[in-house]
C-alpha cells in the first residue's frame, strides 16, 4: 500500500521529533517513522542548553519540559572526586535552573538567555516529544516502521519502508533523515562522514539507586551536583539523571560485570542499587561532507557526531531541525524560493563544523587534566598530595572548557548564507563567551522590555520587521515587498530604549527562526532585493 505525505521524517530521536512538531505546527502534513517499537529507556543526552530551551519555548514546550525534567532547585555543580565519600578534589559550581532563571531575570544587557538550561534525560524527553507530535492532526507518527530505501525524481521521493503489517511505500515531496550516527538515509545518498572516528570506547551503565542523592554529601564527600568525574585512569564519570534516582556511569573497562564494581567503588559506601543496562559507546568527532541531496535532507547525528563533552550533540541537532523546518514549510506553501532549502547546508554545516571543533577543544581539556593522574593519587605522602593538587589545579582550568560553552550555544551566526544580507567581517566566533550582536545571521539577543515581557515572545512565526527606539523610518516598502512573495510578515514597533541600545540599529528584519536577515537605521534602498534574498528568490 502506498501512502502520501508532504514530508517524511526518518528517525524519532529528539531531532526527528522536533522537526515533526515544528512542521506540524506550521500546518505541514508529515509522517515520522521510527524503527523501534517505542522510545527506549536508554540514557544519552541529559541537558537541553539555554538556546534549545528558547527554541522549545517558541514551540510552546518549555514548561512541559521543565515539569518533566530535573527539579529547578537541584544544584548543577560539577565535581572531580576520588569517590563520593571523600572530600572532592575540585568543585565547579553552576546555578540550578531556579538560580539561572533568577539570574536571567535580573540581567538585561543582552548577554542572558530567555530560558535557562534544563536537565532532562533523553529517555524522558523523547516520549514527551512523541506525545506532542501525536497530538498534532498534521503529524502521523509510526513506530515499528523501518526505512529501507529511497528513490527521488523531480517531483518527489518514494521511500520503501517495513512496517508492522509488512512492506509499503511512502511518497513525499521531501524526506529528512534524522536517523542517527549510522544513518541509513545518509549511506543511501553516498555521503561520507569525515574526521576522527572511534577515538575511545567506553561502557555506559544505567543504575537505579534511590538513596544516593538524598544521602549526598556522604562523609566529607562532594555535595549534590550533576557530574562527578573520578580522577582515575579509566575516564570514570558519574552522571545524575533527571529523576535523581537514576545514575549513569561511564568508564573504560573490559566487561559489563566490571561496571558493577565501578559503581560500588565510585560511591564508596554500601548502597542499595540495581544495574538496569550496560552498553558500549564510542567517541567520534565527525562531520558529513554534505547535508543532503536533492529533495533529501539530513539533520542531527546523521551529519555530525561529537563527544558529549560540551553537550553539543542533540542541542546542535535541534538547531538543524528549526533551521530546516520553516524553510521546508515556506517552500511547500509556495512563497519560499530555491535558495531557502539551498541555504540549509550552508548555514548548518558551518555550525556543525564549529561545534565538532568546540567538542574537540572541550575533550582535549578533559584529556589534559586526566593525564595528570598518577597511581599515587591516594597516597598520604607529599608526592600523593602533589598529584592531587596538580590534577585539581589543571582541572580547574581544563574542565571548564566542557561546562562553559555559552558562545557555541548562543553565539552562532550564519556566514555567507544566500538568504542573509551579508556584510563582510563580523564578530569573532567564540566558544566560551557570548557577546550579543545583531550582525546579519545572528540569533536575536534576549531583551526584557519595559512592561516585563520578553522581546523574543513578541516575534511571530513569520518574518518580523522590528522598528526600535521610536524610529519613524518607512518600512511599508519592505513589508509590501515581502508580502508580494506571499510571505507572512508583521511589523512591530518597540520604542523601549533598552532594545535599541542592545540591538544597535533602528531597524531589523528577522526571519521565522529569529535570526537577523538585515539591519539598518533607515529603510533599505532596495526593499525588493532584501525581500527576495530573505525569501530565497
Ligand atoms: C553518553 C551520551 C551523553 C550525551 N549527552 C548529551 C547532552 O548532554 N547534550 C546533547 O545535546 N547531546 C548529548 N548526547 C548526544 C545526543 O544523545 C545525540 O546527539 C542525539 O541523540 C542525536 O539525536 P538524533 O535525533 O539526531 O539521533 P538519535 O537520537 O540517534 O535518533 C535516531 C533515531 O533514528 C532511528 N532510526 C535509525 N535507523 C532507522 C531506520 N532505518 N528506520 C527508522 N528509524 C531509524 C533510531 O532508532 C533512532 O531512534 C549524548 C550522547 C551520549 C552517547
Amino acid at each position: 500500500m502506498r501512502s502520501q505525505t508532504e514530508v517524511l521524517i526518518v528517525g524519532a530521536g529528539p531531532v526527528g521529533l522536533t522537526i515533526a512538531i515544528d512542521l506540524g505546527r506550521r500546518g505541514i502534513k508529515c509522517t515520522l517513522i521510527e524503527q523501534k517499537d517505542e522510545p527506549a529507556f536508554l540514557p544519552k543526552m541529559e541537558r537541553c542548553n539555554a538556546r534549545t530551551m528558547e527554541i522549545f519555548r517558541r514551540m510552546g514546550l518549555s514548561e512541559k519540559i521543565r515539569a518533566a525534567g530535573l527539579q529547578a532547585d537541584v544544584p548543577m555543580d560539577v565535581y572531580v572526586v576520588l569517590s563520593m565519600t571523600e572530600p572532592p578534589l575540585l568543585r565547579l559550581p553552576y546555578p540550578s535552573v531556579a538560580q539561572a532563571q533568577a539570574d536571567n531575570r535580573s540581567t538585561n544587557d543582552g548577554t542572558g538567555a530567555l530560558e535557562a538550561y534544563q536537565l532532562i534525560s533523553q529517555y524522558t524527553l523523547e516520549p514527551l516529544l512523541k506525545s506532542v507530535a501525536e497530538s498534532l492532526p498534521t503529524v502521523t507518527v509510526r513506530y515499528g516502521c523501518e526505512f529501507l530505501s529511497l528513490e527521488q525524481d523531480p517531483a518527489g521521493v518514494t521511500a520503501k519502508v517495513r512496517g508492522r503489517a509488512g512492506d509499503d511505500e511512502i511518497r513525499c515531496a521531501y524526506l529528512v533523515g534524522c536517523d542517527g550516527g549510522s544513518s541509513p538515509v545518509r549511506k543511501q545518498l553516498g555521503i561520507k562522514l569525515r574526521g576522527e572516528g572511534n577515538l575511545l570506547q567506553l561502557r555506559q551503565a544505567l543504575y537505579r539507586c534511590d538513596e544516593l542523592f538524598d544521602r549526598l554529601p556522604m562523609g566529607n564527600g562532594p555535595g549534590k551536583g550533576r557530574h562527578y568525574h573520578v580522577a582515575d585512569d579509566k575516564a570514570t564519570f558519574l552522571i545524575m539523571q533527571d529523576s535523581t534516582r537514576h545514575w549513569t556511569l561511564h568508564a573504560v573497562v573490559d566487561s559489563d560485570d566490571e561496571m558493577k564494581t565501578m559503581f560500588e567503588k565510585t560511591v564508596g559506601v554500601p548502597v542499595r542499587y540495581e544495574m538496569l543496562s550496560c552498553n558500549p559507546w564510542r567517541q567520534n568527532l565527525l562531520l558529513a561532507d554534505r547535508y543532503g541531496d536533492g529533495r533529501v535532507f539530513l539533520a542531527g547525528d546523521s551529519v555530525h557526531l561529537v563527544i558529549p563533552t560540551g553537550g553539543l550533540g542533540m542541542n546542535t541537532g535541534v538547531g538543524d531541525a528549526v533551521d530546516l523546518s520553516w524553510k521546508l514549510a515556506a517552500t511547500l506553501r509556495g512563497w519560499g524560493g530555491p535558495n531557502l532549502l539551498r541555504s540549509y547546508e550552508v548555514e548548518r554545516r558551518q555550525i556543525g563544523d564549529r561545534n565538532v571543533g568546540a567538542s574537540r577543544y572541550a575533550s582535549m581539556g578533559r584529556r589534559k587534566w586526566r593525564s595528570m593522574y598518577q597511581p599515587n593519587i591516594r597516597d598520604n605522602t607529599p608526592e600523593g598530595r602533589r598529584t592531587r593538587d596538580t590534577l585539581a589545579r589543571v582541572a580547574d582550568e581544563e574542565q571548564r572548557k566542557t561546562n562553559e560553552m555559552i558562545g557555541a550555544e548562543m553565539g552562532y551566526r550564519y556566514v555567507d548564507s544566500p538568504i542573509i544580507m551579508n556584510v563582510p567581517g563580523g564578530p569573532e566566533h567564540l566558544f566560551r563567551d557570548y557577546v550579543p550582536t545583531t550582525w546579519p545571521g545572528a540569533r536575536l539577543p534576549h531583551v526584557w522590555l519595559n512592561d516585563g515581557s520578553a522581546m523574543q515572545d513578541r516575534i511571530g512565526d513569520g518574518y518580523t520587521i522590528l522598528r526600535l527606539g521610536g524610529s519613524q523610518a518607512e518600512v511599508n516598502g519592505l513589508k509590501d515587498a515581502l508580502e508580494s512573495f506571499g510571505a507572512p510578515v508583521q511589523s512591530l514597533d518597540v520604542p523601549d530604549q533598552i532594545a535599541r541600545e542592545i540591538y544597535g540599529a533602528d531597524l531589523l528584519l528577522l526571519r521565522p527562526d529569529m535570526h537577523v536577515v538585515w539591519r539598518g537605521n533607515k529603510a533599505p534602498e532596495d526593499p525588493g532585493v532584501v525581500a527576495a534574498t530573505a525569501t530565497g528568490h
Side-chain angles (χ1 to χ4, degrees):
M1 203 186 74
R2 192 188 232 216
S3 58
Q4 196 128 14
T5 189
E6 294 189 280
V7 181
L8 174 63
I9 302 154
V10 179
V15 176
L17 285 159
T18 303
I19 297 199
I21 295 169
D22 204 48
L23 282 172
R25 278 178 64 241
R26 292 178 188 277
I28 300 298
K29 270 180 72 177
C30 54
T31 298
L32 172 64
I33 61 167
E34 165 57 50
Q35 64 186 2
K36 291 192 297 254
D37 287 325
E38 55 190 34
F41 191 67
L42 276 179
K44 281 172 86 180
M45 61 67 62
E46 21 72 56
R47 193 184 68 113
C48 291
N49 70 30
R51 177 64 186 132
T52 296
M53 289 304 291
E54 283 185 350
I55 289 168
F56 284 142
R57 180 186 179 107
R58 282 176 75 68
M59 296 166 72
L61 301 177
S62 54
E63 306 257 304
K64 271 198 178 113
I65 288 172
R66 292 210 189 280
L70 180 73
Q71 279 183 15
D73 58 348
V74 177
M76 294 280 283
D77 297 355
V78 171
Y79 290 91
V80 177
V81 302
L82 292 171
S83 76
M84 303 295 276
T85 53
E86 294 166 86
L89 299 179
L90 177 69
R91 171 181 173 236
L92 296 174
Y94 293 104
S96 65
V97 166
Q99 186 57 50
Q101 279 175 317
D103 293 347
N104 283 344
R105 196 72 232 175
S106 61
T107 309
N108 206 14
D109 57 5
T111 59
L114 172 54
E115 288 281 347
Y117 47 49
Q118 176 65 48
L119 197 150
I120 179 165
S121 303
Q122 189 153 338
Y123 56 70
T124 310
L125 182 62
E126 283 184 16
L128 186 156
L129 296 177
K130 173 177 179 272
S131 71
V132 175
E134 284 168 340
S135 74
L136 293 167
T138 37
V139 181
T140 303
V141 180
R142 287 178 64 184
Y143 275 65
C145 182
E146 184 191 0
F147 162 85
L148 300 175
S149 64
L150 67 86
E151 269 176 36
Q152 50 178 326
D153 55 65
V157 186
T158 305
K160 284 199 165 50
V161 303
R162 179 159 300 154
R164 286 174 183 141
D167 291 2
D168 60 34
E169 285 185 352
I170 303 177
R171 176 76 179 166
C172 54
Y174 296 98
L175 185 148
V176 189
C178 305
D179 44 352
S182 52
S183 175
V185 175
R186 187 194 65 238
K187 285 180 184 154
Q188 171 133 30
L189 297 178
I191 296 175
K192 296 248 172 327
L193 290 175
R194 239 171 260 273
E196 301 156 76
N198 207 357
L199 288 162
L200 182 68
Q201 175 163 318
L202 294 98
R203 274 191 162 68
Q204 172 182 242
L206 174 66
Y207 309 84
R208 174 151 188 159
C209 179
D210 286 352
E211 56 190 286
L212 179 55
F213 180 77
D214 292 334
R215 284 177 62 186
L216 292 171
M218 291 194 279
N220 289 325
K224 293 185 179 9
R226 72 177 184 118
H227 287 174
Y228 301 85
H229 299 271
V230 181
D232 64 6
D233 57 353
K234 298 191 165 18
T236 307
F237 175 25
L238 184 68
I239 302 179
M240 179 186 66
Q241 298 293 324
D242 54 6
S243 67
T244 71
R245 302 286 177 258
H246 292 91
W247 299 79
T248 48
L249 191 73
H250 298 257
V252 181
V253 294
D254 294 328
S255 70
D256 292 0
D257 265 358
E258 279 182 75
M259 287 304 283
K260 217 169 168 181
T261 348
M262 286 309 285
F263 187 70
E264 290 164 13
K265 211 165 131 190
T266 304
V267 172
V269 288
V271 284
R272 268 164 302 170
Y273 74 96
E274 190 187 351
M275 188 163 102
L276 301 175
S277 63
C278 185
N279 293 290
W281 69 280
R282 290 192 175 87
Q283 293 187 339
N284 296 294
L285 287 167
L286 296 167
L287 181 71
D289 288 341
R290 285 178 301 140
Y291 271 36
D293 184 28
R295 293 177 165 272
V296 181
F297 297 90
L298 297 161
D301 273 20
S302 69
V303 276
H304 43 73
L305 286 168
V306 298
I307 300 174
T309 37
L312 290 169
M314 180 210 70
N315 287 303
T316 307
V318 167
D320 299 340
V322 294
D323 187 86
L324 183 58
S325 63
W326 73 269
K327 294 172 181 174
L328 284 169
T331 309
L332 284 161
R333 289 298 165 263
W335 58 262
N339 276 346
L340 274 198
L341 287 176
R342 226 172 267 154
S343 73
Y344 169 66
E345 174 173 309
V346 178
E347 295 186 347
R348 292 308 302 176
R349 191 172 179 277
Q350 58 181 279
I351 305 304
D353 195 15
R354 251 179 256 147
N355 288 354
V356 168
S359 170
R360 179 183 297 111
Y361 165 82
S363 64
M364 296 299 284
R366 203 184 282 192
R367 217 178 288 170
K368 185 162 172 192
W369 73 252
R370 283 200 171 277
S371 72
M372 300 296 136
Y373 167 83
Q374 306 237 16
N376 67 6
I377 195 153
R378 286 174 171 280
D379 290 0
N380 203 5
T381 59
E383 293 74 24
R385 185 162 312 116
R386 201 169 313 125
T387 300
R388 291 191 289 279
D389 290 349
T390 308
L391 184 138
R393 185 172 37 76
V394 177
D396 195 10
E397 182 81 20
E398 299 294 332
Q399 178 56 34
R400 290 178 189 279
K401 294 179 177 172
T402 293
N403 306 113
E404 298 166 21
M405 276 284 182
I406 194 71
E409 291 172 0
M410 299 214 302
Y412 59 91
R413 72 185 164 84
Y414 302 133
V415 179
D416 289 339
S417 165
I419 61 163
I420 299 280
M421 295 302 289
N422 295 300
V423 183
E428 204 183 328
H429 301 280
L430 304 168
F431 297 151
R432 301 277 298 272
D433 297 304
Y434 170 64
V435 182
T437 178
T438 57
W439 196 276
R443 146 197 171 273
L444 183 75
H446 156 57
V447 173
W448 294 114
L449 300 178
N450 297 343
D451 65 1
S453 66
M455 176 68 101
Q456 289 187 5
D457 286 342
R458 304 264 193 106
I459 309 302
D461 282 337
Y463 291 89
T464 303
I465 303 169
L466 257 187
R467 210 153 57 150
L468 298 162
S471 162
Q472 294 300 309
E474 172 56 52
V475 292
N476 283 340
L478 182 55
K479 189 160 186 280
D480 291 348
L482 284 159
E483 279 171 349
S484 73
F485 288 106
V489 50
Q490 63 162 345
S491 38
L492 190 62
D493 280 337
V494 179
D496 311 38
Q497 270 309 321
I498 183 75
R500 172 63 184 81
E501 266 165 42
I502 291 168
Y503 295 156
D506 287 348
L507 301 175
L508 296 179
L509 173 62
L510 305 173
R511 39 188 235 185
D513 61 354
M514 234 174 45
H515 281 255
V516 178
V517 178
W518 168 88
R519 64 177 180 177
N521 291 326
K522 55 185 176 54
E525 269 167 31
D526 192 343
V529 170
V530 177
T533 304
T535 54
H537 289 91

